[in-house]
Amino acid sequence: MAAREYGQYCGVTRALELVGERWALLIVRDLLVGPRRYGELAAGLPRIPSNILAARLKELQEAGIIRRGPRSRIVVYELTDYGRELEPVVLALGTWGFKAMGDPRDEQIVTPDSMTMALRTAFRADVAARLPATDYGARFGGAELRIHVAGGLLEVTRDAALAASVDLSFAAGPGIRRLISGELAPDRAIDTGVIEVLGGRRELLDRFASTFHLAA
Amino acid sequence: MAAREYGQYCGVTRALELVGERWALLIVRDLLVGPRRYGELAAGLPRIPSNILAARLKELQEAGIIRRGPRSRIVVYELTDYGRELEPVVLALGTWGFKAMGDPRDEQIVTPDSMTMALRTAFRADVAARLPATDYGARFGGAELRIHVAGGLLEVTRDAALAASVDLSFAAGPGIRRLISGELAPDRAIDTGVIEVLGGRRELLDRFASTFHLAA
DNA sequence: CCGCATCCCATGTGATACTG
DNA sequence: CAGTATCACATGGGATGCGG
């Protein structure tokens, strides 16, 4: 344990000692979306061995980053206030990593929680504040999300968004990354089949693209 | 190699695949200060095994994060543009880790590069912009730095700052963290010996404390 | 010397199986 | 469902070697 320290008195090293282990920040990423049960975390991180998940949860608890939720009966893990302060770290990593993502490979999956955090990363509150409130229903790979944007605030939920109940409903293929990066115009995304509009007003994809943007 | 991937199509996982290995972000941290030779990196990371340093340098090169510097004759490693974009990640980690630093233990060292990045993390450009240009000479553990603040810009160099050539010269003990966090007032820091003024106008420590601040 | 490469061993990780 | 247990293996750590 003490052998895993870096031997420096420095904020960066301290941070890496606490959340630098493999998988740790991905657990934090998913918990930033909301409290999760052990099995939900395992489902969101399909490649994590169960012993590693258990070990990380114990370490993160001891570090004061997560806690076992208050609702007894069922065990729920949630971030502490200190853990929630890791959000800027996760967003910065997401912003940087976005540029190196390339196109998805077959074995790569998209989980609802990772997609939710990606949307938070790309969200431009200043732009959204100047636009009318909008509800999107979006399907990315296996993740189906309802995206509620209103008054510069973003809310993403896992409700299956019925096409009828939102302003725009669409399914996105692998090319969505280029829509977010601005390399692909919304019209062309629809024309080329990168985005399949399932319902609602298709011209709202423009609004979506200006609300969610990340440099490539 | 491919086994070290997370199997998700997500910016955070991609980032962690590239810089999530042990020591990688600490190499980046030091290179954010400036180009460094192999031996300089090793000196700034005393606990890193040489084989690991060599391996990381190779991986970071292949990922397009660092390159071997242009000056032939001597080998110098430096960040690429993409590598330099990791600065927000390092600063966010430093900000978060600062709160968990506690007091330094005997085996923990302070290196010039880690201290330089810590100063960048704590630097408040907006505050500095409203203050007169100031030069500080500071010694922290083994790191002796010259800190030049002017017009909202910060420049830290490793020149041994002769007491005479700066506005304030001081040596800081372990308690400096509490000065930066605001827990300890500048006057009291001097009175209690946490800060030893070596030369210049001691009242400038006030200015230093308002220029460099991080929440605890 | 500096910039690594090699060796060896302790530890962490990953896949699978198993239990309360 | 929420974890442990086990074991093979990969990686990290420390010392040492070595060529340019």
Side-chain angles (χ1 to χ4, degrees), chain A residues 5-27:
Chain A
E5 299 186 1
Y6 288 102
Q8 301 194 0
Y9 188 63
C10 156
V12 180
T13 52
R14 188 76 191 113
L16 291 175
E17 285 164 4
L18 296 177
V19 295
E21 302 291 314
R22 206 163 151 72
W23 297 106
L25 273 178
L26 296 182
I27 295 170

Side-chain angles (χ1 to χ4, degrees), chain A residues 4-190:
Chain A
R4 309 251 339 137
E5 299 186 1
Y6 288 102
Q8 301 194 0
Y9 188 63
C10 156
V12 180
T13 52
R14 188 76 191 113
L16 291 175
E17 285 164 4
L18 296 177
V19 295
E21 302 291 314
R22 206 163 151 72
W23 297 106
L25 273 178
L26 296 182
I27 295 170
V28 171
R29 176 199 67 184
D30 286 2
L31 290 179
L32 278 168
V33 178
R36 291 288 179 266
R37 304 181 53 174
Y38 184 95
E40 294 174 317
L41 289 171
L45 275 3
R47 304 249 277 238
I48 194 175
S50 61
N51 56 344
I52 300 292
L53 177 55
R56 291 292 171 275
L57 289 173
K58 194 168 296 181
E59 294 158 12
L60 289 171
Q61 255 178 282
E62 285 162 5
I65 295 164
I66 67 175
R67 80 166 79 86
R68 294 169 79 116
R71 323 165 220 208
S72 51
R73 301 287 304 154
I74 53 174
V75 183
V76 181
Y77 294 95
E78 61 186 18
L79 293 173
T80 62
D81 288 342
Y82 188 48
R84 209 166 300 113
E85 290 177 31
L86 278 166
E87 179 154 6
V89 172
V90 173
L91 296 183
L93 279 169
T95 300
W96 185 81
F98 179 79
K99 306 186 182 186
M101 279 175 70
D103 283 322
R105 278 177 290 114
D106 290 345
E107 85 247 28
Q108 294 185 310
I109 62 167
V110 176
T111 67
D113 287 346
S114 77
M115 195 63 217
T116 300
M117 288 310 296
L119 286 167
R120 281 199 207 168
T121 305
F123 183 60
R124 297 200 289 180
D126 52 335
V127 172
R130 279 183 260 109
L131 291 169
T134 315
D135 279 308
Y136 306 93
R139 180 146 47 83
F140 311 94
E144 191 157 355
L145 301 170
R146 183 195 196 88
I147 304 166
H148 175 72
V149 179
L153 289 179
L154 167 66
E155 216 173 306
V156 183
T157 54
R158 292 180 66 164
D159 312 333
L162 295 175
S165 71
V166 295
D167 302 305
L168 169 67
S169 172
F170 62 91
I176 175 121
R177 183 179 166 280
R178 282 178 299 172
L179 179 70
I180 300 290
S181 72
E183 295 167 272
L184 184 64
D187 300 357
R188 284 193 51 80
I190 294 173

